[in-house]
Amino acid sequence: MSTLHANIKPLKTTIFPSKSVLSPKQTLIRCSAASTPKRYNITLLPGDGIGPEVVSVAKNVLSLVGSQQGIEFGFQEMPVGGAALDLVGVPLPEETLLVAKQSDAILLGAIGGYKWDKNEKHLKPETGLLQLRAGLGVFANLRPATVLPQLVDSSTLKKEVAEGVDLMVVRELTGGIYFGQPRGFSKTEKGEEIGFNTEVYATYEIDRIARVAFETARKRRGKLCSVDKANVLEASMLWRKRVMLMASDYPDVELTHMYVDNAAMQLIRDPKQFDTIVTNNIFGDILSDEASMLTGSIGMLASASLGESGPGLFEPIHGSAPDIAGQDKANPLATVLSVAMLLRYGLEEEYAARTIENAVLETLNKGFRTGDIFSSGKKLVGCKEIGEEVMKSVDSQQKASAIVS
């Protein structure tokens, strides 16, 4: 990470600035409620490719919901990934991490692109994301995979298999084989080159992710499936042991265990059997991507990364899609739904979160679709227009609420 650089100056979040003119990267959202509003600082990390487009839409939706529900947001936009590489030569500037740590929540767009594919590892955009997660101390990645009734035909599975799927993958994010030591390259006695990595977990790493998973399952349908490879791997044997010990603290949650190879098959064969899944870093990386495709489009899927303290990181799971960047073709709904997760898990603003989720459903009910989820008989729209439709749906909920009250 860089030292302070002239091109990146830490921005001060101000709810009521002394002057009416705000800096280009700093935005004031003023609430119309008469009572003293809640105030939150949000760090925006648009990133690369379609990231700036989808974050812009999500920010507008968040701002509107806040103005209607007595919540003020101060926004600070900072560079990360390829954008930061182009600006200061590193994928995660120190200033970006500092601002993120001082905020109440972070919204990330997307990271990466063909432009930086040949960079050395420490200069790849994705390295910035790993550094960001480590710097924030987020260890629990929550990825919902829900097949919406409006999009069930977009799934590659048979309708009777996909219909009604609603599951959550809780992935351990900062341990396991992606971070374990020793790792590297070496040579055998015969001079043959080898590459090696280490799958390692400490009890505290397993315990904290298991607790998040049990708590998540408790708030959903009360079923938790722990996925491991305990018939082969010692790290998985410890994993299963610790998860089973914690189960006594959650008698209201039904705990089952499944080997990862079987879990991969069952996600395709009968995905409705799952409610909440908890698993390690590498298994979670694979299974959450598999689960995402049950829905028919990764353009609809949000995620949250949480730690024991400090702000959470919220982002769509899709990539930067550089081939459609700047063409108003991106689907921003995953980022909008990430904002809903930000409100629910990051700020504990449940009503605001549901408002956004309901607005997305209403927009889909009206037949609006971006290209990735388009089907015959629906209205094809771009990134900005579908964002505007979501905001209209937010407004309609507010008007309906006012009439009822």
Side-chain angles (χ1 to χ4, degrees):
M1 291 183 285
S2 75
T3 56
L4 286 177
H5 192 281
N7 288 337
I8 301 182
K9 297 179 180 179
L11 301 174
K12 182 178 180 181
T13 301
T14 306
I15 301 300
F16 295 104
S18 58
K19 298 182 180 180
S20 61
V21 179
L22 294 171
S23 76
K25 297 298 185 182
Q26 184 173 326
T27 307
L28 169 68
I29 301 304
R30 204 177 288 272
C31 151
S32 60
S35 59
T36 302
K38 299 175 184 178
R39 303 175 181 181
Y40 300 112
N41 295 327
I42 310 298
T43 297
L44 301 177
L45 305 177
D48 311 318
I50 62 173
E53 297 170 74
V54 297
V55 166
S56 177
V57 170
K59 174 189 171 185
N60 290 339
V61 173
L62 179 59
S63 300
L64 178 59
V65 172
S67 69
Q68 293 178 346
Q69 299 187 15
I71 306 172
E72 285 182 350
F73 294 104
F75 295 101
Q76 288 182 253
E77 183 177 315
M78 301 296 290
V80 71
L85 281 165
D86 288 349
L87 187 61
V88 295
V90 293
L92 180 65
E94 288 181 1
E95 298 85 348
T96 296
L97 181 57
L98 177 63
V99 169
K101 283 183 174 181
Q102 293 174 343
S103 64
D104 295 301
I106 301 113
L107 178 65
L108 174 68
I111 282 180
Y114 310 131
K115 179 179 179 180
W116 307 281
D117 279 351
K118 295 183 179 180
N119 285 18
E120 294 182 28
K121 182 180 178 181
H122 71 286
L123 294 177
K124 285 183 178 291
E126 295 78 8
T127 298
L129 178 57
L130 294 177
Q131 292 173 342
L132 180 64
R133 289 171 177 169
L136 294 172
V138 292
F139 64 86
N141 182 231
L142 278 61
R143 281 197 183 183
T146 303
V147 178
L148 301 177
Q150 301 89 339
L151 300 177
V152 66
D153 291 331
S154 297
S155 176
T156 54
L157 299 181
K158 294 179 180 178
K159 184 175 181 179
E160 59 266 28
V161 176
E163 196 168 33
V165 169
D166 177 16
L167 61 89
M168 176 79 78
V169 178
V170 180
R171 168 192 171 192
E172 200 288 321
L173 200 58
T174 58
I177 200 166
Y178 290 169
F179 296 92
Q181 297 290 342
R183 61 185 298 164
F185 300 95
S186 185
K187 289 187 177 181
T188 66
E189 294 179 355
K190 296 181 179 180
E192 184 178 5
E193 188 175 14
I194 60 171
F196 57 92
N197 297 84
T198 303
E199 167 75 356
V200 57
Y201 272 104
T203 55
Y204 82 91
E205 293 176 299
I206 302 171
D207 290 352
R208 65 184 185 180
I209 192 65
R211 191 166 299 282
V212 170
F214 275 108
E215 292 288 347
T216 301
R218 174 178 275 176
K219 295 174 183 176
R220 289 173 51 85
R221 299 191 301 277
K223 294 173 60 179
L224 177 62
C225 180
S226 177
V227 174
D228 57 40
K229 193 62 177 172
N231 58 334
V232 176
L233 302 175
E234 283 78 5
S236 279
M237 295 173 193
L238 178 63
W239 179 283
R240 182 172 293 205
K241 174 183 175 182
R242 299 304 300 183
V243 172
M244 290 176 66
L245 285 172
M246 187 164 291
S248 60
D249 294 340
Y250 296 89
D252 53 326
V253 176
E254 177 188 342
L255 174 66
T256 58
H257 303 273
M258 192 174 290
Y259 296 142
V260 64
D261 44 353
N262 186 31
M265 291 188 291
Q266 294 298 329
L267 273 173
I268 301 301
R269 189 187 73 83
D270 181 20
K272 285 194 286 284
Q273 68 182 282
F274 296 105
D275 171 21
T276 305
I277 295 172
V278 62
T279 190
N280 69 16
N281 203 339
I282 189 170
F283 296 163
D285 191 4
I286 297 166
L287 293 180
S288 59
D289 278 357
E290 181 186 3
S292 73
M293 290 315 299
L294 300 174
T295 68
S297 173
I298 59 174
M300 293 297 302
L301 298 175
S303 75
S305 297
L306 309 173
E308 291 177 298
S309 61
L313 175 65
F314 303 87
E315 60 183 305
I317 73 166
H318 60 65
S320 61
D323 53 320
I324 61 169
Q327 301 176 41
D328 195 38
K329 293 181 178 180
N331 183 348
L333 296 182
T335 314
V336 172
L337 292 171
S338 294
V339 164
M341 294 191 77
L342 181 155
L343 289 163
R344 174 175 292 118
Y345 295 103
L347 305 180
E348 297 185 352
E349 296 287 352
E350 178 64 25
Y351 184 75
R354 290 186 181 182
T355 298
I356 290 177
E357 291 168 343
N358 289 337
V360 169
L361 292 177
E362 184 178 337
T363 300
L364 294 174
N365 282 336
K366 292 177 179 177
F368 294 100
R369 301 288 190 273
T370 48
D372 59 311
I373 54 174
F374 179 74
S375 60
S376 178
K378 305 303 179 182
K379 182 179 180 181
L380 180 64
V381 295
C383 180
K384 292 179 181 178
E385 185 173 350
I386 202 165
E388 290 168 357
E389 292 299 328
V390 172
M391 294 178 72
K392 290 178 184 177
S393 295
V394 169
D395 265 333
S396 68
Q397 290 182 70
Q398 175 72 4
K399 292 175 182 176
S401 177
I403 293 172
V404 171
S405 61

